[in-house]
Amino acid sequence: MLNSYILWVGRVSRLFAVIATALIVIAMLVVCQMILMRYVFRLPTIWQTDFVVFSATAAIFLGAPYVLLKGGHVGVDVVELLLGQQNRKRLRILGAMLGLVFCIVMLAATWVQFEEAWTGNWKHSSVWAPPLWIPLSALPVGFFLLCLQYTANILILLGLAEQPVDTSSIPSPELPLPATSAGANEKGHLP
């Protein structure tokens, strides 16, 4: 059951990575259209800047679970390198749990903001004036997906679920040890 959850969350994270990529591509095309309208046809642009900002922001939040899935986040591992394997694992579990707590808090906060925009019929202050619930919806969705992905990572780290069979699509939270010496082999061990 937990292994099915891990696979399902990985697939959902990949799906939203595709959506985030599409949003970036669409934003890029809108920027090109905006340049063409302004500088070639000398026509005003009304909605393009807002659309690009909203699309790029949504892409960040909707793509974040995939970055977590792939272990692509930026991290400083100076302290981790000083620890033994068992303490490294404990540190990764603690980090994942703190990340989950942060995402739960942000999910609650962004849900309140989204709900207020929805019920209050908030509009953006630009001439285009789109309803703000549309771009704000990416925030609680992104944080909800991050909560799911952090939970999956914690289950794997605690050994309660197995690493999925398709290791090319879901990396192990157990990162390989870096070589700490010029004479070390791939696993960081000296000959």
Side-chain angles (χ1 to χ4, degrees):
M1 171 103 166
L2 292 177
N3 292 334
S4 297
Y5 171 79
I6 304 286
L7 286 171
W8 179 81
V9 169
R11 289 182 185 132
V12 171
S13 293
R14 281 189 215 66
L15 171 67
F16 278 89
V18 170
I19 293 169
T21 302
L23 285 169
I24 292 292
V25 169
I26 292 168
M28 193 172 54
L29 292 172
V30 169
V31 167
C32 294
Q33 185 267 351
M34 181 172 57
I35 292 169
L36 185 70
M37 296 298 288
R38 275 190 187 174
Y39 299 108
V40 175
F41 298 116
R42 305 275 186 218
L43 295 171
T45 56
I46 296 172
W47 58 272
Q48 290 88 341
T49 302
D50 292 336
F51 180 84
V52 169
V53 169
F54 293 152
S55 296
T57 303
I60 291 167
F61 285 97
L62 298 177
Y66 180 74
V67 174
L68 180 61
L69 170 75
K70 292 304 227 176
H73 55 280
V74 176
V76 179
D77 59 358
V78 175
V79 174
E80 191 174 326
L81 291 174
L82 298 173
L83 300 175
Q85 188 66 25
Q86 197 64 3
N87 286 331
R88 261 184 220 179
K89 185 174 182 178
R90 287 184 190 122
L91 187 63
R92 287 185 186 133
I93 292 169
L94 176 65
M97 288 184 175
L98 290 174
L100 177 60
V101 168
F102 173 79
C103 288
I104 290 169
V105 170
M106 290 304 296
L107 172 60
T110 57
W111 178 259
V112 168
Q113 187 178 23
F114 164 76
E115 194 271 330
E116 287 176 356
W118 174 273
T119 59
N121 198 25
W122 293 358
K123 304 275 185 194
H124 191 262
S125 60
S126 66
V127 175
W128 181 34
L132 278 176
W133 69 266
I134 296 171
L136 288 176
S137 65
L139 280 69
V141 170
F143 280 113
F144 176 71
L145 295 172
L146 273 170
C147 288
L148 295 178
Q149 190 60 58
Y150 266 120
T151 302
N153 287 4
I154 290 168
L155 290 172
I156 293 170
L157 284 168
L158 290 175
L160 299 174
E162 294 178 10
Q163 187 68 26
V165 177
D166 183 11
T167 57
S168 64
S169 62
I170 301 176
S172 171
E174 294 294 328
L175 302 174
L177 297 175
T180 56
S181 169
N185 62 20
E186 302 98 31
K187 295 186 179 183
H189 301 292
L190 293 173

